């Protein structure tokens, strides 16, 4: 659990129940620190997430103003570690749609960088939000065929897929490469996601590596654009600018 999660969840509940109605101002950062016995960082992260959800707007000299009772996005990902990529799992379920074995030939799956000549297990899944019931993302999961038994556990999965793979293989994921791009949802994808063909979507491809840069898992996911927000915080290292000649 992220350090700011209890604060965020409490404020969301208070906004939804109109304890803080639209137009009202949330307590100051210092007041929230005292109320939740939390650090300034945790409070600021929570407020940043509420802004990304479209629940509040932060205005100079006014503070954090409630602008909506309902978030604009189902998922807001603000993270600093691999575990934070998957905070949405607790309120969603995974459904296996189909599976097959593929032998990667030349020019196949170039965009996924699967090794030519290798046999991989391909599993197509959809993840749905539980409350309220809502399709969120359709994904293709690729693992070396030797680990194909991973499919057996997907229907009841309560952890990220990479964590399940670690348990099965005994290997630890040491690196994740992630590529994010906009896309148009195809006709076949639209029927699973409950949107019109040609609607805006978000394509996220992740490559998971173990020791010695061994590729263990590839996921190719299409998210509904109206249900996903991706947020990253970057720290500025002043030592880099000060060391310039």
């Amino acid at each position: 659990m992220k350090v700011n999660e209890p604060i965020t969840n409490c404020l969301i509940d208070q906004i939804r129940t109109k304890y803080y109605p639209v137009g009202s101002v949330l307590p100051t950062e210092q007041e929230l620190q005292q109320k939740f016995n939390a650090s300034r960082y945790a409070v600021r992260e929570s407020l940043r997430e509420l802004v990304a959800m479209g629940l509040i707007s932060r205005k100079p000299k006014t503070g954090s103003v409630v602008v909506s009772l309902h978030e604009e996005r189902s998922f807001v990902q603000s993270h600093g570690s691999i575990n934070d990529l998957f905070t949405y799992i607790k309120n969603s379920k995974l459904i296996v749609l189909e599976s097959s074995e593929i032998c990667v030939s030349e020019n196949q799956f170039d965009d996924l960088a699967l090794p030519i000549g290798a046999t991989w297990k391909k599993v197509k899944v959809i993840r749905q939000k539980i409350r309220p019931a809502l399709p969120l993302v359709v994904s293709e999961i690729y693992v070396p065929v030797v680990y194909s038994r991973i499919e057996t556990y997907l229907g009841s999965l309560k952890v990220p897929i990479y964590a399940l793979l670690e348990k099965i293989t005994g290997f630890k994921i040491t690196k994740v490469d992630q590529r994010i791009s906009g896309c148009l949802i195809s006709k076949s994808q639209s029927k699973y996601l409950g949107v019109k063909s040609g609607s805006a979507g978000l394509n996220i491809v992740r490559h998971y590596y173990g020791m010695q840069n061994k590729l263990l898992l590839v996921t190719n996911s299409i998210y509904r654009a109206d249900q996903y927000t991706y947020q990253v915080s970057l720290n500025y290292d002043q030592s880099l600018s000060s060391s310039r000649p």
Side-chain angles (χ1 to χ4, degrees):
M1 178 186 292
K2 293 190 293 184
V3 66
N4 64 298
E5 192 170 330
I7 306 172
T8 305
N9 291 340
C10 180
L11 291 175
I12 289 174
D13 287 341
Q14 290 178 330
I15 291 172
R16 283 176 176 169
T17 57
K18 299 183 181 180
Y19 181 84
Y20 295 116
V22 172
S24 65
V25 180
L26 296 184
T28 65
E29 288 185 9
Q30 186 175 7
E31 289 170 339
L32 289 172
Q33 283 179 250
Q34 295 172 351
K35 177 179 179 179
F36 292 101
N37 191 25
S39 66
R40 184 181 183 186
Y41 168 80
V43 168
R44 287 194 166 183
E45 283 298 297
S46 291
L47 295 176
R48 187 178 293 118
E49 290 191 6
L50 294 180
V51 170
M53 291 177 186
L55 294 176
I56 67 171
S57 173
R58 305 201 71 189
K59 301 178 180 180
K61 299 182 180 180
T62 301
S64 302
V65 180
V66 177
V67 295
S68 176
L69 302 180
H70 305 285
E71 58 265 52
E72 295 177 353
R73 297 288 187 269
S74 291
F75 296 153
V76 176
Q77 292 199 352
S78 175
H79 56 77
S81 72
I82 183 175
N83 292 328
D84 292 338
L85 289 171
F86 305 100
T87 54
Y88 58 80
I89 285 179
K90 63 183 180 180
N91 188 32
S92 65
K93 63 179 179 179
L94 200 67
I95 300 172
V96 176
L97 301 174
E98 58 186 61
S99 65
S100 60
E101 288 186 8
I102 59 170
C103 183
V104 184
S105 59
E106 194 171 359
N107 299 325
Q108 273 189 312
F109 306 102
D110 282 346
D111 56 334
L112 299 182
L114 295 178
I116 296 175
T119 302
W120 284 61
K121 183 74 170 184
K122 173 185 175 182
V123 185
K124 188 173 183 177
V125 301
I126 184 171
R127 184 170 290 282
Q128 293 185 336
K129 189 174 181 180
I130 298 174
R131 293 182 303 273
L134 183 71
L136 296 163
V137 54
V138 61
S139 302
E140 294 173 347
I141 301 167
Y142 299 86
V143 295
V145 70
V146 67
Y147 307 135
S148 61
R149 67 182 184 277
I150 191 175
E151 179 186 358
T152 307
Y153 305 96
L154 292 178
S156 58
L157 192 63
K158 301 298 182 183
V159 297
I161 294 171
Y162 80 87
L164 172 60
L165 188 64
E166 286 181 331
K167 186 174 182 180
I168 289 176
T169 64
F171 298 127
K172 290 294 182 183
I173 300 298
T174 58
K175 183 180 74 168
V176 181
D177 287 341
Q178 179 172 255
R179 185 186 74 219
I180 302 175
S181 57
C183 67
L184 297 178
I185 295 175
S186 69
K187 184 175 181 180
S188 61
Q189 295 161 348
S190 66
K191 67 180 181 180
Y192 295 119
L193 294 175
V195 296
K196 292 182 179 179
S197 176
S199 298
L202 194 66
N203 182 208
I204 300 184
V205 178
R206 295 187 178 112
H207 289 74
Y208 299 77
Y209 297 88
M211 296 297 292
Q212 298 180 336
N213 218 34
K214 181 179 180 180
L215 183 61
L216 298 174
L217 170 68
V218 177
T219 60
N220 182 17
S221 302
I222 304 294
Y223 292 80
R224 289 175 47 151
D226 65 339
Q227 293 298 320
Y228 192 95
T229 294
Y230 186 83
Q231 178 177 308
V232 178
S233 296
L234 301 175
N235 293 323
Y236 175 63
D237 187 348
Q238 296 188 18
S239 65
L240 295 178
S241 59
S242 62
S243 62
R244 292 177 182 173

